[in-house]
């Protein structure tokens, strides 16, 4: 599981983003598949969008519970941000791409 749980989350997130390939994360659903898989069909894209909404909401929940800023991204902005990451790196795991997109949009 990926958690955004410390008050110093921004610096921790930067560190996590740099070393996310080294993380061992127990993922469920399409989030464990690659970006290429997610982008390979409309059915996968729809399934991934639902997964991303839940993942993003979970990150916002943890952020709120730990008194951090939550992402204010719209649903379409979430998907667009993840898609940008995924098109750049199709072999990346969808969860890692969503995590990066969340951090990127939250820093703006």
């Amino acid at each position: 599981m990926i958690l955004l749980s410390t008050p110093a989350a921004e610096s921790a997130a930067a560190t996590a983003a740099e070393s996310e390939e080294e993380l061992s994360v127990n993922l469920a659903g399409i989030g464990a598949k690659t970006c290429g898989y997610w982008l390979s069909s409309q059915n996968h894209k729809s399934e991934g969008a639902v997964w991303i909404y839940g993942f993003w909401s979970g990150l916002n929940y943890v952020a709120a519970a730990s008194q951090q800023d939550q992402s204010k991204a719209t649903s379409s902005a979430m998907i667009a941000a993840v898609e940008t990451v995924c098109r750049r790196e199709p072999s990346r795991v969808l969860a890692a791409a969503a995590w990066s997109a969340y951090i990127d949009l939250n820093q703006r």
Side-chain angles (χ1 to χ4, degrees):
M1 98 185 48
I2 297 174
L3 294 177
L4 181 63
S5 62
T6 64
E10 286 183 16
S11 63
T15 301
E18 291 170 5
S19 63
E20 70 189 19
E21 297 304 319
E22 299 172 16
L23 293 176
S24 176
V25 180
N26 184 15
L27 296 169
I30 197 169
K33 302 280 189 179
T34 67
C35 284
Y37 177 85
W38 175 52
L39 294 170
S40 70
S41 77
Q42 189 55 45
N43 285 342
H44 294 159
K45 192 108 186 263
S46 295
E47 180 184 359
V50 171
W51 188 91
I52 290 164
Y53 298 147
F55 181 75
W56 207 281
S57 296
L59 291 174
N60 273 346
Y61 192 94
V62 171
S66 58
Q67 300 176 342
Q68 297 173 56
D69 291 336
Q70 297 177 56
S71 172
K72 305 281 192 256
T74 64
S75 297
S76 58
M78 290 175 201
I79 300 306
V82 176
E83 188 168 342
T84 297
V85 173
C86 281
R87 292 209 181 276
R88 195 172 49 236
E89 299 178 66
S91 63
R92 197 168 192 187
V93 172
L94 182 59
W99 168 252
S100 292
Y102 181 90
I103 297 301
D104 290 347
L105 285 182
N106 226 16
Q107 289 179 348
R108 292 181 188 173

